[in-house]
Amino acid sequence: MHKQVTMQAIADEAGVSTATVSRVLKGHPAVLEETRQKVQSLIDRYHYVPNFAASSLVRQQSNMLGMMVENIENPYFASMFSAAETRALEEGYSLMMMTEQPGGEEIQTIRRLIQHQIDGLVLLSNRINGRPPEEKIVRFVQEIAQQVPLVLINEYLEDLHIPCVFADNREGFLQAFRFLYHLGHRRIALVGGLDDNQTFHIRRQAYLDFLKEAGLPFQEAYLQMNGYTFEDAMNSMHRIMSSAQLPTAILANNNIIAMGIMRVCHDHHIHIPDHLSLITCDNTFISEAVTPSLTALDIDPREQGRQAIDILLSMIRGETPPSLSIRIPSRLVVRSSTARPPA
Amino acid sequence: MHKQVTMQAIADEAGVSTATVSRVLKGHPAVLEETRQKVQSLIDRYHYVPNFAASSLVRQQSNMLGMMVENIENPYFASMFSAAETRALEEGYSLMMMTEQPGGEEIQTIRRLIQHQIDGLVLLSNRINGRPPEEKIVRFVQEIAQQVPLVLINEYLEDLHIPCVFADNREGFLQAFRFLYHLGHRRIALVGGLDDNQTFHIRRQAYLDFLKEAGLPFQEAYLQMNGYTFEDAMNSMHRIMSSAQLPTAILANNNIIAMGIMRVCHDHHIHIPDHLSLITCDNTFISEAVTPSLTALDIDPREQGRQAIDILLSMIRGETPPSLSIRIPSRLVVRSSTARPPA
DNA sequence: TTGTAAGCGTTATCAT
DNA sequence: ATGATAACGCTTACAA
C-alpha cells in the first residue's frame, strides 16, 4: 500500500465526480460515450484499480472466499486448492488459502480468514473428520456456519446440517477390490491410515464388506492400519510379510504408503506386479511417475475443490443446496502395478 | 460476511465509545481496568474480531502480504509457500497466495493481489527468469515495484534493483559434480530443463566449468536439456543411451526428471546405483520415498520462502536491504542412488 | 481516563 | 447523464 491512485484522483483529473468514474468501471450504460472514454483513458493510463477494502466495506461483500487446508505440501490437497482457485476466479472471486498451522490452532486460522471478510469458507480438516468427531471442533464449526456460508470437504455429517463434499470412498474401494478379485486375486490386503478417522474407517468397512461379498476369509495380518507415514507403511509391510502367507495384492491408502510398500518389496525382491499387485489411492503425478507406474484410485481432488466452490457460491447467492451431501465418484486408473496373481 | 458484530455494537452494550473499545483491543494502557474488563468480556462473548477491510482503509496498511507462485502442485513451490506463510503469520501478517493461472495472465493475477491492498509482494515466475528476461515482464515488474514493496524469488537481476532471493545453483551443482568425481565418476551427464531459463543456464554453465576444472572432455550426448516433463526426461535418457558409451552418473534437474530417468533405467535393466549413479535436484519427500532413495541437492525452498518474507517485512518497515541479492546455499543430501562407478 | 469527530476509498441513493 | 452525499467499520488526533 504505497502510493495509491484513488478514484477521487481520476475523477478530479477527468473533471467528473467519483460517481461517474464508478459507473464507468461498472459498465453502467447511463454514461455519455465521450465521458466514458475520457475516464477510461485515465484509468488505463494510471493502471487504476479500485480498492477492494473500501468496496468490501460499503458493499458488505468482499468477493473473496476462504479455504483452510491441512497441508498444502501434500499434492492431493494442492490439486484440490488449485482447482478451487481456478473455479473461484472464473466466478469473479479470489480464494484466500490458509494452512492449518503446525501446533494446530486451526480455530485461530479460521478466525483470521473471517476477519478478512471472506464471503464464504471451505473447510478441510482432519479434526472434523475424526471418529467420533471431536465435540469441541464440531461446536466451533456450527458456530462458524452461523457467521459465514460454509462448505466442508469431509465425510458427510448428518446432524451438522452443513454441506459436505466427499469422495465416494466406499464405492471406490469396492470397485478396486473387485477389480483385483476379477484379476484372480484371493488374498488381498489393505494398508494405511488409522481407524480413528472417518474416511479410513469407511475404507476399512468397504474392505470387510468386500471380503464377505466375495466369500473370502478375513485375515488379521492383511488389515494394517497403523498410520500415514512412509515408516508406518514399511512397518505394516513387514508385519504382512511375517504372516503365514503373503497376499497377492495390496491396496495402499495413499501414495506415500504405496511407496513405503514398494521400498520393502524392492528390498525383499518381491516384484510388482509379478509377485504382488499394488493399487494406490491418490492419483497424483507421483502415481504415474513412479516405477512401476501405479494403478490408482482417483478420488478426484480437483472435482472436490470445484464442487465445494460451486456450492459455496450458490449459498452466497442465497440458494439452498439441493442436498447437503455431495458425493464425488471415484474411478480406477489402471497402470502397470497390477496383474493376475502368480500361478 | 453474514451478520457481523461491529465495534459500535460492543461499544454500545458496554456503554463506552468505539475509541475505548479500540484501545482495549490494542492493549492501550490508558484504560481503566474495570472498563477494560467489561469491554473484554463482551468481545469474548461475541467472538468479536475487528474488520480488516475497515482497519486497512484507515490505517493504510492491510497486514496482508501477497505471493504469486507458478504452480502450487509442485511440492517444491508448496514448501516454499508453506514456510513463507508460517513466517508471515509469526510476524502478524497473512499471506495471500495466488497461482499463475494457466493461460498465463500473471499480470492480471498480480493486479488482483494489489487490489487486495497487500502490503508487500513476493513474486516467483518463470517469465522473469527467462534468458534473456522478457522485456515486457521486466517493465511490468519495475512498475509494480513502484507501487508495492517487492521481492523476487529469482536469479539475481542486477539492473532491476529489486531484491532477489535465489538458491546458489552454481555452487550447489559444482558440489554435486565434485561429489561424483570423488566417488570416481568420469563420465557424468546433466539432464533436464531448458537453456532459455536463467536457472538452468547457470546449472549448465556449472556443468561445463566442472568438466574444465576436472579436465574431462565435453560430450554432446551427456548434456540433455530438452524440457521439464517426465516424457522429456525419458527422451533425454534414450538419447543418452544411444551414445557411444553410457555415463556412469547423471545429475537430474528435478524429481520428475529423475523419475523419468529411473523409469528408462528400469526398463533397460540399468541398476541404480550399481550401474549408474543418480542425483536429483529437489529434496522433497519424493526424493526420499522413491526406491532407491535419491541423493539430492537441497536448494532449500523453505529457506527461500522465509528469507523472502523477512526481506519484504524489512522493506515495509522502511529499511533498505543490505544487499539486493540474497543467496541461499544449497546442500547435498546423500542417499542410496549414488555409489562408486562400476569397475 | 474517556469521548468526539474527521477521515480512509468506495458505492448507491436521490436529486438535478 | 451527472453530481452530492451518506454510509460502511474502524483509527486517531484532539478535546474534555
Side-chain angles (χ1 to χ4, degrees), chain A residues 217-343:
Chain A
F218 169 72
Q219 291 197 241
E220 189 90 41
Y222 287 4
L223 178 57
Q224 294 288 342
M225 299 188 67
N226 315 305
Y228 308 91
T229 70
F230 188 75
E231 282 73 26
D232 293 334
M234 302 224 317
N235 290 336
S236 297
M237 188 59 191
H238 284 130
R239 290 207 195 95
I240 287 178
M241 287 177 53
S242 60
S243 71
Q245 222 182 354
L246 222 59
T248 62
I250 296 183
L251 210 163
N253 264 312
N254 67 38
N255 274 330
I256 282 286
I257 292 169
M259 288 167 104
I261 294 172
M262 291 171 88
R263 169 71 56 80
V264 175
C265 287
H266 175 267
D267 292 348
H268 291 78
H269 308 290
I270 299 174
H271 187 272
I272 299 172
D274 294 347
H275 303 149
L276 181 75
S277 285
L278 181 62
I279 296 185
T280 184
C281 176
D282 254 8
N283 188 34
T284 68
F285 65 93
I286 300 176
S287 332
E288 176 131 34
V290 121
T291 301
S293 65
L294 296 171
T295 295
L297 189 62
D298 187 350
I299 52 176
D300 213 343
R302 307 192 67 85
E303 186 59 19
Q304 292 181 58
R306 271 190 293 264
Q307 288 273 357
I309 296 296
D310 284 347
I311 291 157
L312 202 51
L313 291 176
S314 77
M315 291 168 76
I316 290 170
R317 278 186 236 106
E319 303 160 20
T320 326
S323 161
L324 290 181
S325 74
I326 296 85
R327 183 187 142 274
I328 309 295
S330 314
R331 65 181 222 292
L332 194 68
V333 179
V334 178
R335 300 208 180 83
S336 317
S337 63
T338 43
R340 315 190 131 275

Side-chain angles (χ1 to χ4, degrees), chain B residues 62-264:
Chain B
S62 67
N63 275 47
M64 184 156 80
L65 268 21
M67 182 166 184
M68 190 181 80
V69 154
E70 241 177 276
N71 171 15
I72 195 67
E73 299 185 58
N74 182 332
Y76 174 75
F77 296 132
S79 302
M80 198 179 277
F81 163 76
S82 185
E85 185 193 28
T86 302
R87 174 57 53 96
L89 252 14
E90 284 166 4
E91 305 290 335
Y93 284 77
S94 301
L95 181 58
M96 175 157 192
M97 186 263 287
M98 299 194 63
T99 63
E100 224 178 293
Q101 285 296 301
E105 261 331 302
E106 64 265 63
I107 293 192
Q108 290 307 318
T109 304
I110 294 172
R111 283 213 205 293
R112 187 156 195 127
L113 245 9
I114 290 179
Q115 268 196 286
H116 282 290
Q117 307 306 117
I118 50 171
D119 294 333
L121 175 62
V122 177
L123 222 55
L124 174 55
S125 163
N126 222 338
R127 304 283 297 278
I128 316 168
N129 206 25
R131 183 166 163 281
E134 268 182 61
E135 177 77 36
K136 183 179 150 210
I137 289 290
V138 167
R139 258 207 319 277
F140 179 68
V141 166
Q142 294 275 29
E143 190 188 290
I144 292 302
Q146 305 305 107
Q147 296 179 42
V148 67
L150 176 64
V151 171
L152 264 28
I153 298 192
N154 202 85
E155 302 301 335
Y156 180 48
L157 292 164
E158 187 123 27
D159 24 325
L160 268 188
H161 302 295
I162 294 173
C164 291
V165 174
F166 63 97
D168 193 337
N169 281 287
R170 182 178 171 79
E171 278 310 314
F173 269 62
L174 285 175
Q175 186 186 348
F177 287 125
R178 289 177 192 142
F179 170 78
L180 291 169
Y181 185 87
H182 289 310
L183 275 179
H185 294 276
R186 294 297 178 269
R187 298 197 307 280
I188 301 175
L190 175 62
V191 174
L194 240 28
D195 193 35
D196 63 354
N197 169 294
Q198 273 297 128
T199 300
F200 291 103
H201 182 71
I202 288 172
R203 294 176 178 184
R204 179 181 183 278
Q205 200 53 51
Y207 176 67
L208 299 177
D209 291 349
F210 158 75
L211 290 182
K212 196 166 293 172
E213 139 191 332
L216 297 174
F218 169 72
Q219 289 197 243
E220 191 88 41
Y222 287 3
L223 178 56
Q224 295 287 342
M225 299 189 68
N226 315 305
Y228 308 93
T229 69
F230 188 74
E231 282 72 27
D232 294 333
M234 303 224 315
N235 290 337
S236 297
M237 188 59 191
H238 284 131
R239 289 208 196 93
I240 288 179
M241 288 177 54
S242 60
S243 72
Q245 222 182 353
L246 222 60
T248 61
I250 295 183
L251 209 163
N253 263 311
N254 66 39
N255 275 329
I256 282 286
I257 293 169
M259 288 168 104
I261 294 172
M262 291 171 89
R263 169 70 57 80
V264 175

Side-chain angles (χ1 to χ4, degrees), chain A residues 42-331:
Chain A
L42 255 12
I43 289 177
D44 293 342
R45 164 127 46 94
Y46 293 117
H47 295 305
Y48 167 75
V49 286
N51 179 328
F52 275 158
S55 91
S56 312
L57 202 53
V58 42
R59 292 192 312 133
Q60 297 290 80
Q61 178 184 334
S62 66
N63 275 48
M64 184 157 79
L65 268 22
M67 182 167 185
M68 190 182 79
V69 155
E70 242 177 275
N71 171 15
I72 195 67
E73 298 184 59
N74 182 331
Y76 174 75
F77 296 132
S79 301
M80 198 179 276
F81 164 75
S82 186
E85 185 193 28
T86 303
R87 173 58 53 95
L89 252 14
E90 284 166 4
E91 305 290 335
Y93 284 77
S94 301
L95 181 57
M96 176 155 191
M97 185 263 286
M98 300 193 62
T99 62
E100 226 177 293
Q101 286 295 302
E105 260 333 300
E106 64 264 64
I107 294 193
Q108 290 307 319
T109 304
I110 294 171
R111 283 214 205 292
R112 189 158 194 127
L113 243 11
I114 290 179
Q115 265 195 289
H116 281 291
Q117 306 306 115
I118 50 172
D119 294 333
L121 176 61
V122 177
L123 222 54
L124 174 54
S125 165
N126 223 338
R127 303 284 298 277
I128 316 169
N129 206 26
R131 187 169 159 279
E134 269 182 62
E135 176 77 34
K136 183 178 148 209
I137 289 292
V138 167
R139 258 208 319 277
F140 180 67
V141 166
Q142 295 274 28
E143 191 189 288
I144 292 303
Q146 306 305 107
Q147 296 179 42
V148 66
L150 177 63
V151 171
L152 264 28
I153 299 192
N154 202 84
E155 303 301 335
Y156 180 48
L157 293 165
E158 187 124 26
D159 24 325
L160 267 188
H161 302 295
I162 294 173
C164 291
V165 174
F166 62 95
D168 193 338
N169 281 288
R170 182 177 171 78
E171 277 310 313
F173 269 60
L174 284 175
Q175 186 186 347
F177 287 126
R178 289 176 191 143
F179 170 78
L180 292 170
Y181 186 87
H182 289 309
L183 275 180
H185 293 276
R186 295 296 178 269
R187 297 197 308 279
I188 301 175
L190 174 63
V191 174
L194 238 29
D195 193 35
D196 63 354
N197 170 294
Q198 273 296 129
T199 300
F200 291 104
H201 182 70
I202 289 171
R203 294 177 178 182
R204 178 180 183 279
Q205 199 55 51
Y207 176 66
L208 298 177
D209 291 349
F210 159 75
L211 290 182
K212 196 166 294 172
E213 142 191 329
L216 297 175
F218 169 72
Q219 291 197 241
E220 189 90 41
Y222 287 4
L223 178 57
Q224 294 288 342
M225 299 188 67
N226 315 305
Y228 308 91
T229 70
F230 188 75
E231 282 73 26
D232 293 334
M234 302 224 317
N235 290 336
S236 297
M237 188 59 191
H238 284 130
R239 290 207 195 95
I240 287 178
M241 287 177 53
S242 60
S243 71
Q245 222 182 354
L246 222 59
T248 62
I250 296 183
L251 210 163
N253 264 312
N254 67 38
N255 274 330
I256 282 286
I257 292 169
M259 288 167 104
I261 294 172
M262 291 171 88
R263 169 71 56 80
V264 175
C265 287
H266 175 267
D267 292 348
H268 291 78
H269 308 290
I270 299 174
H271 187 272
I272 299 172
D274 294 347
H275 303 149
L276 181 75
S277 285
L278 181 62
I279 296 185
T280 184
C281 176
D282 254 8
N283 188 34
T284 68
F285 65 93
I286 300 176
S287 332
E288 176 131 34
V290 121
T291 301
S293 65
L294 296 171
T295 295
L297 189 62
D298 187 350
I299 52 176
D300 213 343
R302 307 192 67 85
E303 186 59 19
Q304 292 181 58
R306 271 190 293 264
Q307 288 273 357
I309 296 296
D310 284 347
I311 291 157
L312 202 51
L313 291 176
S314 77
M315 291 168 76
I316 290 170
R317 278 186 236 106
E319 303 160 20
T320 326
S323 161
L324 290 181
S325 74
I326 296 85
R327 183 187 142 274
I328 309 295
S330 314
R331 65 181 222 292

